Amino acid sequence: MPRNWLLKSEPDVYSIHDLRRDGSTSWEGVRNYQARNFMRDDARPGDRVLYYHSNASPPGVAGLATVSREGYPDPSARDPRSDYFDPKASDEDPRWYMINVAFQEAFPALVSLDDLRAAPGLEKMLVINKSRLSVQPVTDEEYEIVVRMGRGERT
DNA sequence: GCCAACGTTGGC
DNA sequence: GCCAACGTTGGC
């Protein structure tokens, strides 16, 4: 059974439309231990992804993706020229991990954070309460509700 | 191992 | 651009 995740990206940096253009991408640059652990330990190919635009107006879920590669060391942590360079990362201890994600679909209209807050069944979504976590698990029920909202289906 | 200082995230 | 929330760092 695939798991469900919500991944945040700032659309000015890398939006769902960039992902559609590229087909897939490596999710580099996550520098938070809880988010890292989810990618390193739990994410598997075939897991389902809600693609969330943060720092946007409005913020919200912009589409769907899938995990296309399980967690592996994030090379940007070892690259001194990268914005994501971490001098404490090493070959023996990569410290930071990333996954690959593949484009699935862009919603016809954004499911805004306000929409999420207002939707029955989403009261416990982490994005509403633990808004800073950039990789977070989503329950099957939450996933289905958000997908229906994103596709404009009536419940 | 505590906790103050600091840096970052992200909604507004 | 502001700033509250919160994660991380480092001195003790």
Side-chain angles (χ1 to χ4, degrees):
Chain A
M1 191 64 188
R3 294 175 188 246
N4 316 294
W5 305 97
L6 182 145
L7 295 187
K8 289 191 201 172
S9 183
E10 301 190 22
D12 290 348
V13 177
Y14 197 84
S15 74
I16 187 82
H17 307 293
D18 295 316
L19 182 61
R20 175 164 53 196
R21 178 198 63 215
D22 295 343
S24 67
T25 193
S26 56
W27 208 252
E28 65 174 26
V30 173
R31 297 292 179 266
N32 167 282
Y33 290 107
Q34 205 179 349
R36 177 205 66 182
N37 292 347
F38 284 132
M39 293 195 294
R40 186 189 61 188
D41 304 334
D42 299 320
R44 293 291 178 270
D47 285 359
R48 309 184 292 188
V49 172
L50 300 176
Y51 198 103
Y52 183 90
H53 283 172
S54 62
N55 250 314
S57 47
V61 178
L64 304 176
T66 56
V67 175
S68 53
R69 182 176 171 184
E70 66 183 13
Y72 60 105
D74 180 347
S76 69
R78 306 291 325 280
D79 178 1
R81 291 160 303 175
S82 170
D83 288 344
Y84 304 123
F85 178 63
D86 181 349
K88 292 179 181 166
S90 65
D91 286 338
E92 306 76 53
D93 177 13
R95 193 156 147 123
W96 301 114
Y97 286 73
M98 62 185 188
I99 56 177
N100 287 3
V101 300
F103 176 79
Q104 186 177 345
E105 69 181 74
F107 289 153
L110 187 84
V111 181
S112 72
L113 180 56
D114 282 344
D115 294 336
L116 298 176
R117 287 198 182 106
L122 301 183
E123 296 83 1
K124 293 182 179 170
M125 264 194 104
L126 291 172
V127 71
I128 293 171
N129 307 306
K130 283 229 174 198
S131 63
R132 295 189 58 198
L133 187 59
S134 64
V135 176
Q136 49 183 257
V138 172
T139 70
D140 289 343
E141 292 76 12
E142 291 163 348
Y143 179 88
E144 299 298 341
I145 291 169
V146 174
V147 169
R148 279 199 298 271
M149 293 169 76
R151 290 173 177 163
E153 297 168 13
R154 297 282 134 221
T155 52

